[in-house]
Amino acid sequence: MIVSLKASMKEADVAKMAKELKGFILKEGTQRLIVTSSKLKSIPASFEKWVKKSIVFDSDIQLASRKYQEETRTIYLGNGRTIGGITGNTVMIAGPCSVESKTQIKESAELLVEMGIGVLRGGCYKPRTSPYSFQGLGLEGLKLMDKMRKKHGLSIITEVKDATHVADVIEYTDIIQVGAKAMYDHGILRACGQVKKPVMIKRGFGSTLQETVQAAEFILSGGNPNVILCERGIRTFESKTRFTLDLCGVAFIKEYTNLPVILDPSHAMGFRYGIADLTRACVAMGVDGLIIEVHPKPDTALSDAAQQLNHADFKALYSTLAPVATAVGRQIV
Ligand code: PEP
Ligand code: MN
């Protein structure tokens, strides 16, 4: 339940009520809210006098729901950019899977500038499935990303792998990426709830939509209203492609949640050959953003080499997107 409280209610009474209802206190401007489990269906009589409005839910998709807030959230991405809201924009995010070297990230940033794309991706803490694979440049990588942001006015997105380096990622990045494998890391979710920087949660490949939105609820109820969801493919019986991009799930997110949604065709497909068609399908879904892996020399990439596009192929793909976006009332920015 989400309860809006009257302005006359004293702080001490708010704290008492939140404790009794096992809820979180949130402030939205001057409005104070208490958010409890959705199992609570009515307010105890002793608290009724302080309640302005209450909303009952059938599941713990609450702050993220359209029932609570009809309009998609508008989220500031730094350097004058936003995602979501009613702009009709589909924000393109591109860059390599991992930050590998000064030259590689410099060439990546320059490509974006040349194409008028504003958000650069690049992982510095990589959640690899083998300890013998490249694990990312860590802090050195964050600093390289930060340089590109300062030099070109880009916004940057980079992932946090575990709670040990979450503070560094928060410090350097514009958008915190919580990876598919990190979606359940409560150290990360807690830390992300305590700041206001935007957080993009990638759906775990074995996670239901309910679980994914509930991961967002951890951050929202912690006090950070700036959460974006990313569908990047789930694991099914199919093994010819890397994952299965759940576009039905995207339709659900758009219908029932107020969170901007980004689609990641690169990780879903896993192979270069399918990325262009899949990206056009993603644009046709009328989503708030796209995130695509692009590398100056994909064959030499230290992670996700098979799925990254080279610069020429990415440009060719990009040039085909505008009519698809127009057909669904959007524009790529
Ligand atoms: C990535 O974006 O490079 C990545 C590791 O993605 P995911 O968490 O979706 O596997
Ligand atoms: Mn990757």
Side-chain angles (χ1 to χ4, degrees):
M1 183 185 283
I2 298 180
V3 188
S4 309
L5 303 168
K6 288 184 182 162
S8 57
M9 190 177 181
K10 294 200 177 76
E11 290 293 322
D13 291 324
V14 176
K16 195 172 153 220
M17 180 170 169
K19 194 171 174 204
E20 200 146 314
L21 301 184
K22 298 185 180 63
F24 294 83
I25 302 169
L26 284 184
K27 289 204 173 94
E28 287 198 332
T30 54
Q31 179 62 62
R32 293 166 302 172
L33 306 172
I34 292 178
V35 188
T36 75
S37 160
S38 59
K39 292 197 179 87
L40 188 72
K41 302 293 183 195
S42 65
I43 293 165
S46 56
F47 295 124
E48 260 171 17
K49 59 180 180 287
W50 288 312
V51 174
K52 197 153 88 182
K53 187 181 158 199
S54 61
I55 314 174
V56 173
F57 297 89
D58 57 13
S59 87
D60 282 348
I61 298 179
Q62 301 188 103
L63 291 163
S65 71
R66 293 221 189 264
K67 190 174 179 187
Y68 166 61
Q69 181 186 305
E70 208 178 327
E71 201 173 273
T72 303
R73 289 165 190 260
T74 299
I75 296 178
Y76 185 62
L77 303 179
N79 274 324
R81 301 182 182 88
T82 61
I83 191 168
I86 51 163
T87 56
N89 286 345
T90 297
V91 177
M92 175 61 82
I93 304 171
C97 178
S98 301
V99 179
E100 297 170 4
S101 69
K102 201 169 156 179
T103 313
Q104 176 241 23
I105 203 64
K106 178 176 169 285
E107 288 176 14
S108 303
E110 285 169 359
L111 173 76
L112 265 57
V113 173
E114 182 195 331
M115 295 178 69
I117 295 172
V119 189
L120 175 67
R121 65 149 288 146
C124 305
Y125 299 90
K126 297 304 297 180
R128 307 307 299 280
T129 47
S130 166
Y132 312 114
S133 304
F134 176 62
Q135 305 292 309
L137 294 181
L139 187 58
E140 185 193 339
L142 289 181
K143 289 182 179 167
L144 290 174
M145 287 290 275
D146 188 42
K147 262 196 188 147
M148 293 306 107
R149 175 226 262 136
K150 289 186 176 133
K151 181 161 182 207
H152 298 293
L154 295 165
S155 302
I156 59 173
I157 176 166
T158 193
E159 67 193 288
V160 53
K161 182 174 67 164
D162 61 59
T164 61
H165 53 262
V166 64
D168 284 339
V169 172
I170 289 170
E171 182 183 339
Y172 283 96
T173 197
D174 294 299
I175 309 152
I176 306 155
Q177 173 176 329
V178 177
K181 294 180 194 125
M183 197 197 87
Y184 293 111
D185 185 321
H186 286 252
I188 292 176
L189 298 179
R190 197 176 317 111
C192 288
Q194 285 165 0
V195 293
K196 300 287 182 214
K197 278 209 173 161
V199 182
M200 182 186 82
I201 300 179
K202 296 189 89 175
R203 178 183 181 184
F205 47 73
S207 305
T208 63
L209 292 162
Q210 180 76 32
E211 289 162 345
T212 307
V213 184
Q214 281 178 190
E217 291 277 339
F218 271 98
I219 298 174
L220 299 169
S221 63
N224 184 352
N226 302 313
V227 182
I228 303 159
L229 292 183
C230 176
E231 164 61 35
R232 45 76 76 208
I234 53 174
R235 191 161 274 172
T236 64
F237 54 80
E238 187 51 69
S239 59
K240 295 289 187 211
T241 59
R242 193 176 182 194
F243 294 98
T244 297
L245 191 64
D246 183 12
L247 297 182
C248 300
V250 169
F252 170 88
I253 292 166
K254 286 181 62 180
E255 181 71 12
Y256 289 103
T257 86
N258 58 41
L259 306 175
V261 56
I262 289 177
L263 266 163
D264 174 350
S266 301
H267 288 85
M269 187 67 214
F271 301 100
R272 264 187 281 293
Y273 76 86
I275 305 293
D277 283 342
L278 203 52
T279 303
R280 285 184 284 271
C282 291
V283 173
M285 286 300 294
V287 286
D288 302 289
L290 302 162
I291 184 163
I292 298 179
E293 287 192 340
V294 183
H295 190 291
K297 294 191 190 83
D299 290 332
T300 68
L302 299 179
S303 60
D304 287 348
Q307 72 198 27
Q308 301 201 59
L309 298 181
N310 65 33
H311 290 188
D313 288 349
F314 179 60
K315 281 186 191 169
L317 158 63
Y318 191 77
S319 72
T320 68
L321 299 181
V324 186
T326 305
V328 295
R330 291 197 168 246
Q331 56 277 330
I332 311 281
V333 298

